[in-house]
Amino acid sequence: MTVIGWIQILLFCAIILALVVPLGAYMTRVFNGERTFLSPVLRPVEAALYWAGGVDERREQHWFIYTVSMLFFHVGGFLILYFLMRLQAGLPFNPAEQSAVAPDLSFNTAVSFITNTNWQNYGGESTMSYLVQMLGLTHQNFLSAATGIVLAVALIRGFARASMRTIGNFWVDITRCTLYILIPICVVYALFLVWQGMPQTLGPYVEATTLEGAKQTIAVGPVASQLIPAMFVAFYPQLQALNIMNLATPQSAILSAIIFNALIIIALIPLALKGVRYRPIGAGPLLRRNLLIYGVGGVIIPFIGIKAIDLLVTALHLA
């Protein structure tokens, strides 16, 4: 690890820590339906979406209805994405004249994207049209991420509202999360990427001539606007700088993390069932003790455990 690599990691962590409080406060206001600095622009759009969908934003849902709404929402998303891929040959924004995606690949891709797995068994530029990339894949990159966020918010409400029967409204939460949180972040960063020279166009692929005289097709398209919702380590080798434990391979890292979690969960269940001895203690000392034990310990122990398992997995050639 170079000095620049460590500086990048420290800078990344510093930015995350600096954003925790203001972003958390902003998200709280969003999910509580309070006014934010984006409300003058986005509130009319939000109200129009509720009107079009027949949603009463003041009416909350029981947890069962919330869950059913989420499931039906993603069933609809699956069908839309599947048929977009199957029909893409006859749809607009297909300058490369991509043919229809095979049924099995369409099914696999649709399931993958609505579950936020985003496993891709194809070359995006040589398989998907611009319309499918924008309306299908990027659409699900937003909504699958938003679903994870709103379910976490609903879980928090469930704990906080122990005596209430409702946990919010799924349609309201998913709309606010997408409008007020995900889209603004992506718009700002997409403009930054365009400024830096990343392609953002609906024009056809570029035909170029190499120095040897050969012809080469350069795929372009609406790249900048799709980068943030689809930002995963596998697509960006530069993020290898964050491999501070120096795990051997991506395969050994995943296997080591799974083994560690399987072992720690088995150990935690009997500890949880045993319980702890009650001792009267003030809120301040209790918070400091919990931060030390569960905060610091929860960071250090996984590092040591996963690294040790990774060394063993690599030595045994299991990954």
Side-chain angles (χ1 to χ4, degrees):
M1 179 72 71
T2 64
V3 174
I4 296 298
W6 282 109
I7 292 175
Q8 289 176 341
I9 293 172
L10 293 174
L11 182 61
F12 174 81
C13 294
I15 292 173
I16 294 297
L17 291 174
L19 289 176
V20 166
V21 173
L23 183 58
Y26 173 75
M27 291 178 66
T28 300
R29 296 183 66 85
V30 167
F31 287 112
N32 284 337
E34 300 173 10
R35 184 178 177 84
T36 70
F37 70 96
L38 291 176
S39 294
V41 176
L42 297 180
R43 178 57 192 171
V45 179
E46 180 188 0
L49 290 173
Y50 297 150
W51 176 83
V55 175
D56 183 357
E57 62 179 302
R58 295 166 297 182
R59 184 177 180 181
E60 295 199 347
Q61 298 171 318
H62 185 268
W63 70 265
F64 181 77
I65 303 300
Y66 196 101
T67 304
V68 170
S69 300
M70 181 272 295
L71 293 175
F72 273 108
F73 179 68
H74 283 288
V75 168
F78 164 80
L79 294 174
I80 292 171
L81 181 52
Y82 177 82
F83 284 109
L84 277 174
M85 289 184 284
R86 294 292 295 133
L87 301 173
Q88 79 168 355
L91 296 174
F93 300 112
N94 188 10
E97 298 181 352
Q98 308 282 12
S99 60
V101 182
D104 56 343
L105 183 57
S106 297
F107 182 88
N108 177 81
T109 304
V111 171
S112 173
F113 272 79
I114 68 166
T115 56
N116 205 21
T117 311
N118 292 39
W119 185 75
Q120 296 176 266
N121 189 31
Y122 59 88
E125 298 84 0
S126 61
T127 307
M128 305 295 181
S129 68
Y130 291 166
L131 182 69
V132 173
Q133 292 181 50
M134 294 185 298
L135 186 59
L137 304 184
T138 305
H139 171 236
Q140 286 303 322
N141 278 333
F142 273 104
L143 296 182
S144 59
T147 300
I149 294 172
V150 302
L151 289 180
V153 171
L155 179 65
I156 293 170
R157 289 191 188 124
F159 285 120
R161 303 176 178 182
S163 60
M164 294 183 64
R165 297 177 57 85
T166 60
I167 57 171
N169 186 310
F170 173 78
W171 309 109
V172 173
D173 289 343
I174 199 81
T175 301
R176 287 174 176 166
C177 182
T178 305
L179 271 182
Y180 289 90
I181 299 171
L182 297 181
I183 288 180
I185 293 173
C186 291
V187 167
V188 171
Y189 197 63
L191 292 174
F192 170 78
L193 294 176
V194 171
W195 171 52
Q196 291 296 303
M198 183 167 290
Q200 179 67 24
T201 177
L202 296 177
Y205 291 178
V206 176
E207 296 289 339
T209 303
T210 67
L211 293 176
E212 293 79 11
K215 295 293 184 181
Q216 181 179 3
T217 301
I218 301 176
V220 286
V223 180
S225 61
Q226 300 181 56
L227 181 61
I228 291 302
M231 186 172 283
F232 294 96
V233 173
F235 299 161
Y236 302 100
Q238 295 89 335
L239 293 180
Q240 175 63 22
L242 298 179
N243 183 15
I244 59 177
M245 289 193 292
N246 196 28
L247 302 178
T249 65
Q251 292 80 8
S252 71
I254 293 172
L255 183 58
S256 301
I258 292 173
I259 293 174
F260 176 81
N261 281 281
L263 295 175
I264 199 70
I265 289 172
I266 293 174
L268 287 175
I269 290 174
L271 290 174
L273 292 175
K274 179 180 181 298
V276 295
R277 181 178 298 175
Y278 172 74
R279 286 192 307 162
I281 187 173
L286 180 63
L287 176 61
R288 288 192 293 271
R289 190 186 69 170
N290 287 345
L291 286 175
L292 178 63
I293 297 175
Y294 302 111
V296 178
V299 171
I300 295 176
I301 293 175
F303 270 69
I304 297 173
I306 293 175
K307 179 60 179 179
I309 296 172
D310 182 76
L311 293 174
L312 181 61
V313 165
T314 304
L316 296 176
H317 304 286
L318 298 178

